[in-house]
Amino acid sequence: MEYNPIYLDIVWVLFATALVFLMQAGFAMLEAGATRAKNAANIIMKNVMDVSIGSLVFWMVGFGFMFGANKSGWIGTSNFFLSDIDPATDSGMFDFAFFIFQTVFAATAATIISGAVSERTKFAAYLIYTVAVTAFIYPIFGSWVWGGGWLSELGDNGFMDFAGSTVVHSVGGWAALAGAIVVGPRLGKYTAGKSPVAIPGHSITLAALGVFILWFGWFGFNAGSTVSGNTGLIAIIAVTTNLAAAAGGVAALTLSYLLWKRFDASMTLNGVIGGLVAITAGTANMSPAMAALTGLIGGMVVVGAIVLLDRKLKVDDPVGAIAVHGFAGAWGTIAVGLFASATYGGVDGLFFGGGVGQLLVQLTGVAAAFLFVFSTSFIVFKVIDMTIGMRASDEDQIRGLDISEHQAAGYPDFAPAIPLVSYSTPVLSGAAVPSGAAIDETIES
Amino acid sequence: MEYNPIYLDIVWVLFATALVFLMQAGFAMLEAGATRAKNAANIIMKNVMDVSIGSLVFWMVGFGFMFGANKSGWIGTSNFFLSDIDPATDSGMFDFAFFIFQTVFAATAATIISGAVSERTKFAAYLIYTVAVTAFIYPIFGSWVWGGGWLSELGDNGFMDFAGSTVVHSVGGWAALAGAIVVGPRLGKYTAGKSPVAIPGHSITLAALGVFILWFGWFGFNAGSTVSGNTGLIAIIAVTTNLAAAAGGVAALTLSYLLWKRFDASMTLNGVIGGLVAITAGTANMSPAMAALTGLIGGMVVVGAIVLLDRKLKVDDPVGAIAVHGFAGAWGTIAVGLFASATYGGVDGLFFGGGVGQLLVQLTGVAAAFLFVFSTSFIVFKVIDMTIGMRASDEDQIRGLDISEHQAAGYPDFAPAIPLVSYSTPVLSGAAVPSGAAIDETIES
Amino acid sequence: MEYNPIYLDIVWVLFATALVFLMQAGFAMLEAGATRAKNAANIIMKNVMDVSIGSLVFWMVGFGFMFGANKSGWIGTSNFFLSDIDPATDSGMFDFAFFIFQTVFAATAATIISGAVSERTKFAAYLIYTVAVTAFIYPIFGSWVWGGGWLSELGDNGFMDFAGSTVVHSVGGWAALAGAIVVGPRLGKYTAGKSPVAIPGHSITLAALGVFILWFGWFGFNAGSTVSGNTGLIAIIAVTTNLAAAAGGVAALTLSYLLWKRFDASMTLNGVIGGLVAITAGTANMSPAMAALTGLIGGMVVVGAIVLLDRKLKVDDPVGAIAVHGFAGAWGTIAVGLFASATYGGVDGLFFGGGVGQLLVQLTGVAAAFLFVFSTSFIVFKVIDMTIGMRASDEDQIRGLDISEHQAAGYPDFAPAIPLVSYSTPVLSGAAVPSGAAIDETIES
Amino acid sequence: MKEITAVIQPVRLGPVREALSLVGVTGMTISEARGFGSQGGSVDTYRGVEYRVDYVPKIKLEIVVSEAFVDPTVDAIIEAARTGTLGDGKIWIKEVSTVIRVRTGEKDEVALN
Amino acid sequence: MKEITAVIQPVRLGPVREALSLVGVTGMTISEARGFGSQGGSVDTYRGVEYRVDYVPKIKLEIVVSEAFVDPTVDAIIEAARTGTLGDGKIWIKEVSTVIRVRTGEKDEVALN
Amino acid sequence: MKEITAVIQPVRLGPVREALSLVGVTGMTISEARGFGSQGGSVDTYRGVEYRVDYVPKIKLEIVVSEAFVDPTVDAIIEAARTGTLGDGKIWIKEVSTVIRVRTGEKDEVALN
Ligand SMILES: Nc1ncnc2c1ncn2[C@@H]1O[C@H](COP(=O)(O)OP(=O)(O)O)[C@@H](O)[C@H]1O
Ligand SMILES: Nc1ncnc2c1ncn2[C@@H]1O[C@H](COP(=O)(O)OP(=O)(O)O)[C@@H](O)[C@H]1O
Ligand SMILES: Nc1ncnc2c1ncn2[C@@H]1O[C@H](COP(=O)(O)OP(=O)(O)O)[C@@H](O)[C@H]1O
């Protein structure tokens, strides 16, 4: 048998596809663990359905919009239903592998949103949004970067986002931001005086399991993005990915310890993901040391962004998805313009003598993602809200979405009636403790 | 170093083996999540032991019966304890890879049964059955299809079951059916008037985790069945597998919403698995669109079969294993005769101009599986029942098998005493609400 | 494109790396499941941080100590921060792959310890120890065996530990032993009369999930240790690994049934891991039958060692890590000297006519590991204890480390106040039931 | 009015509730409890070490009734909860001076209908 | 002294506790409970089979107070717990003969401050 | 007969049960509870936002005894449950008019042996 390198490519892409697919389990466990038991069935149903619907919709139209022939530079317009792929050839088979890899990427972008709007969004509304993001929003932005569109033509090297800090994560994060704003904070999340109330999730073990699975999946997410096994690049990618994750976890733990004198588990878990999201853009273009630095700052960005969103912007994101995917994704994309080194991927960033050129391109791409995704998502969510309604009623939120949306509890055998945590009395460091009456108003009415 | 394609084959088969192995975790979580907390330790012990015992027994005799020299066409008769494999050659090494891949397949067939007989079967009885299925029942039927036996010789192309909709899943499902019939329904599952009582599982998050892990593992299950990495086929297999799963989930959600106006989480999870089981036979022989259709119908078959078994046949299957593996497996095998397309795997089904020939072969194989497996399993279960007894006593079922069979609770720290769900008052749509006294009799006595 | 075997090597090593990485999730779930709910957040934080800190420290110094130029035979002294790796070449890329594979190995050694010292160790103390083990203790011992050091030069074939029964597992296990001794037993673990008290974990389902994930990861751990995909060896390794795991589970179940007439779930789960640990050294050097035997004895060693530690030595190891990794690891390393067969890996053990030479080398390595690791770890733990203190106060142990160390419960929605299991009344087979007053003293004061 | 406290086997909850409905009891409050008594617990094992679980799962019912309902209620519970084995539980009765329905502020007998 | 038992909607626990603090109640014991009454439960579905969940989650408060505190306590609970919908719960009052603080052995009124 | 309600620290359950056995108490019913009192709860953090957990885990014991047993029972509980720190709990006593053993229908004192 003659040697044909395409088989190793396909094997590698499918390996990576499987790993990225499992990230769905990671997101499901992280999101379920970080929210309350009474909404667990609803969360996992969102996760199961976004990958199901997303897979179908991306096959039908999304893949064509993203990777179809793209004359305008703004959108692909062929290969719907994979109509351009020839199953008779090996290269057609590679195209199928490429397609399935891209499918699980699209599903990742979709699932990021579910966490941010959790515990108060109607199930049907969420399903509609899932169609919008996997059919249009993600593929259109994706076509600009990975489908040969205008962002890929900017500057000397085009906008650099190797595995999708921006294309996948920030896109998911900014859509999540729009969703969280439109649907509003969970009942009881803010006191009348607008102080945030802590609403801890129901299972730290499931959340941690989710994070470990995501970290595992990220080896496929980043190293698979070579879409080739015939390259040593995949090795350095695995190294930079792991170091950034590790550094993100250490940074979030340390920073939250400095700020609050506590070894905060939830922040640390978010910090790990922040490190992973941050390195995703530059994973093939940085030295191990710069990757660790990118992850370290990524972990700190997550802590800062969570505080910013929760306290200043009053955006309620139960799982931290906006901070982790939106902010750390933007940071990681910018970091390429700073820390890229020609020794690793052929391009030098600002700190390695490459000048500001690439940095400006990176900033342009980050801004374009925010503007396009936030605005289109905001419109879609608003339209859904004005038609079928986004937000579950207060009564439904109190009973939990498991009962109100699915008529079945997530844990019928173990359902705590006492909210053991007294959500109504936040003790804000440095903030006045709000009076009982004020809280009462917000939470119960 | 000279190029030898066998290494990529071995790498691919081992990759797939690992993924299929992890399906054991998927089954364990799905089954544990779909049953009550008081039986959790028992469920996971069954899962751990069926893969342990199954691995040993299949090595000793099962593999020989399935893939050993098969003159009669009815059973293999050599290679017990792998005695025919030569460890000195690369092709011997490939044989080891093939063996380990087949081992995890056998373990899958075995573990399917544990869910269907859960919450009321004695542990020792289950262990004995596990030996029977991995030593004889699964390998013998398998030899007919994959070991060069009579089913592989039927018609022009033989019975087509690429990755085992029938060989693995229906075999597991029909054995499960026999087991569920012999052991009888759980205490309290049916009222005196024979209406089914809902007995929800204890953790939807674990069940969902199980489903995601299974979906992940299925990439190995189906694409690994090429037992070669030197083929582009694995790419289209990954595509059809994923689309069918997605379509199965969407179908089950939609159909159950149409029937009961509810977004039923448990049905949706079963629908995903139904889609996966259905595509397993034709994964390498269908276009993406036909794969989606096969999965879609697979998801609907699951919903229908669950209702049929639960309400009409009064067969109590706590996790839906019979519907998912038996029925959807049969459907998927038949679908090959309908939807196969020569463009993809060289054979045309009825709807692609291939006539009814292949369809009849498929039906023959499906019928053979049912007849052979159901009858032999029924006998084995009956013999076990008449000797050591299959069924845990009512008292043991009330306390839970964790305590009665393992003398240790699954959740010693969290053990709910109140059955928060009142199992005694089913409200059957369209059925008369049974009187209290009648239920009392069934449940408590 | 010309054929270059290095790409398949890198693909294989990265595949194995990902699987070994996921073992972190396995350990986290197993350890969390096997301990009480009030310490769940603490356990998972230890697991997240040991892989994070370990990854960074091993990159900075550990890898250099282990695999750097090693003139003395006692320690490597170059390649810190990967300074010797050339990213411009394919072989440099392979070095990165090798490094990341070794990183996840180091993290495995580190995480083993967390289980043994769980439920009573201060978080900061644990972090410091993690640095010590991944920077020095593990790499230095590792350099003796895998870094070209003195153990690799002993006898005809050097000390044989293919994938690390000793280098990884016993090292982790003996460090765990030192830690468990220094930190002392959990409050309430022994009565005043020094009888052990059973303290069951909080979730058998999570523990079982952990075991399945570990088993899955072990395919990467052992077969990846070829650090090459261009070899058929990986196939036989997968076979021996799986058979040993299966046999370990069967052995532990059977032995505990013979001893206590119970199908003990926790012992069975530990037995599976014991089988895996035991085969790790000889996985590439044994026939399938000898592998099964090694695993079988491994499972029995685990049962014996748990009883020995718990009852005779009064070492409190909540998850059984010392028995599983220390003892079964030592056994498996010795087994190579007994059961190795030249047909499989070129070396014959005692029972295959190879004489006692290799056996003595194996015993030397096992002893060296114990002496070096136990003594250095003991010193490190003692120093930590005398400076910042190892042990959480009794009051903190009563409230649980989640609250006392992390100021946040692991399950804020489900927090059982009643210890449903009455830890204060052990019923020891054959031992006098201690008087109430005596227990009171130990547990409450 | 009286408060009837009944501690029963969890598995008898269904029948007891049906029986109470038949005698006209329209409300009650239940909670999880653990009982210690002559029934004894179980002896479990964890990795070879046995331990006694002293407390047996029980359901506690609290039912406030007017005098006229006391006897029928108690009889209904006894009949439906009895299995004849150790651990069937206890019923005990205390005097209640006032009952109020939160929703309406209604008092005493009226609050109980 | 009296023991006031109040069964309320879980979501009203916060306001009730605040209201009790305002009237000077300094201690109470709460527990999870499930209520059966006119409110009715929900009808859930599991794989196409419907089932009724008869028991609604409630919180039970037990508060021991001296005579003088009975009325203000009851009024505070009613006001804070009432939502006006079915299922707001019941309050009932029983006589307590002795109260002891474990820590000090103090008795009766003194034990309640 | 009397019903003795005791709210104690969870960790004292073992010693209290031993102490009760020594004075001859043969049955009791326990349940999980949460206490609010002078002990105060803890201040936890979740992603940088602090929150107060107001309610402290407690165990509630309910023991029905005949008059003669009241004092020994109360004394046994106090001795075994006291740690001397805030939050050791309260004991309170109420009159019970009737006790019935479900299994046999035995009443009052007889039902308590
Ligand atoms: N003196 C008591 N005070 C309160 N509850 C009791 C008392 N004695 C028994 N109980 C409750 O009644 C349950 C059954 O009592 P037990 O003595 O085990 O059986 P039986 O009542 O059938 O003789 C116990 O588990 C406990 O919950
Ligand atoms: N007779 C009773 N004894 C004890 N608890 C009762 C009784 N009646 C009602 N309850 C409790 O009060 C709760 C509310 O009662 P319900 O009849 O549903 O509404 P409402 O009090 O608003 O009419 C019930 O869920 C139950 O916990
Ligand atoms: N008035 C009360 N009514 C009912 N339970 C009370 C009352 N006061 C206190 N308790 C219970 O007793 C527990 C201990 O009371 P606390 O005031 O914290 O400490 P101490 O009794 O040591 O002064 C509380 O957590 C609560 O469960």
Side-chain angles (χ1 to χ4, degrees), chain C residues 249-264:
Chain C
V250 170
L253 179 72
T254 309
L255 182 57
S256 57
Y257 190 80
L258 294 176
L259 291 173
W260 305 296
K261 301 278 163 283
R262 273 139 203 229
F263 296 116
D264 193 311

Side-chain angles (χ1 to χ4, degrees), chain B residues 198 200 260 262 264 266-267 270 310-311 317-319 420-422 425 427, chain E residues 32-34 42-56:
Chain B
W260 305 297
R262 273 137 204 230
D264 193 311
S266 166
M267 275 292 188
N270 274 335
D310 202 44
R311 300 200 189 168
D317 177 358
V319 307
L420 297 174
V421 168
S422 160
T425 53
V427 184
Chain E
E32 282 193 43
R34 301 262 148 179
S42 57
V43 176
D44 292 359
T45 328
Y46 186 69
R47 291 208 293 225
V49 178
E50 296 187 330
Y51 59 98
R52 187 183 295 141
V53 176
D54 277 324
Y55 307 104
V56 187

Side-chain angles (χ1 to χ4, degrees), chain E residues 18-89:
Chain E
E18 307 274 349
L20 288 174
S21 295
L22 294 181
V23 298
V25 171
T26 55
M28 65 176 177
T29 300
I30 64 176
S31 43
E32 282 193 43
R34 301 262 148 179
F36 177 73
S38 45
Q39 181 186 2
S42 57
V43 176
D44 292 359
T45 328
Y46 186 69
R47 291 208 293 225
V49 178
E50 296 187 330
Y51 59 98
R52 187 183 295 141
V53 176
D54 277 324
Y55 307 104
V56 187
K58 298 285 170 197
I59 300 288
K60 185 172 75 173
L61 282 60
E62 287 166 302
I63 315 172
V64 183
V65 292
S66 54
E67 303 295 335
F69 270 100
V70 174
D71 288 348
T73 301
V74 168
D75 292 347
I77 297 173
I78 292 180
E79 201 179 324
R82 187 179 288 172
T83 67
T85 54
L86 274 177
D88 276 353

Side-chain angles (χ1 to χ4, degrees), chain C residues 20 27 42 62 100 129 159 170 201 291 309 372 376:
Chain C
V20 178
F27 281 112
N42 180 256
I100 189 74
Y129 181 76
F159 174 62
S170 283
L309 289 161
F372 174 70
T376 52

Side-chain angles (χ1 to χ4, degrees), chain F residues 48-69:
Chain F
V49 178
E50 296 186 330
Y51 58 99
R52 187 182 296 140
V53 176
D54 276 326
Y55 307 104
V56 186
K58 298 285 171 197
I59 300 288
K60 186 172 75 174
L61 282 61
E62 287 166 304
I63 315 171
V64 183
V65 292
S66 54
E67 303 295 336
F69 271 99

Side-chain angles (χ1 to χ4, degrees), chain D residues 27-29 62-64 101 103 112, chain E residues 7 34-40 58 85-90 92:
Chain D
M28 64 176 178
T29 300
E62 287 166 303
I63 315 172
V64 184
R101 171 175 283 140
R103 175 166 49 93
L112 290 174
Chain E
V7 177
R34 301 262 148 179
F36 177 73
S38 45
Q39 181 186 2
K58 298 285 170 197
T85 54
L86 274 177
D88 276 353
K90 297 274 189 297
W92 63 95

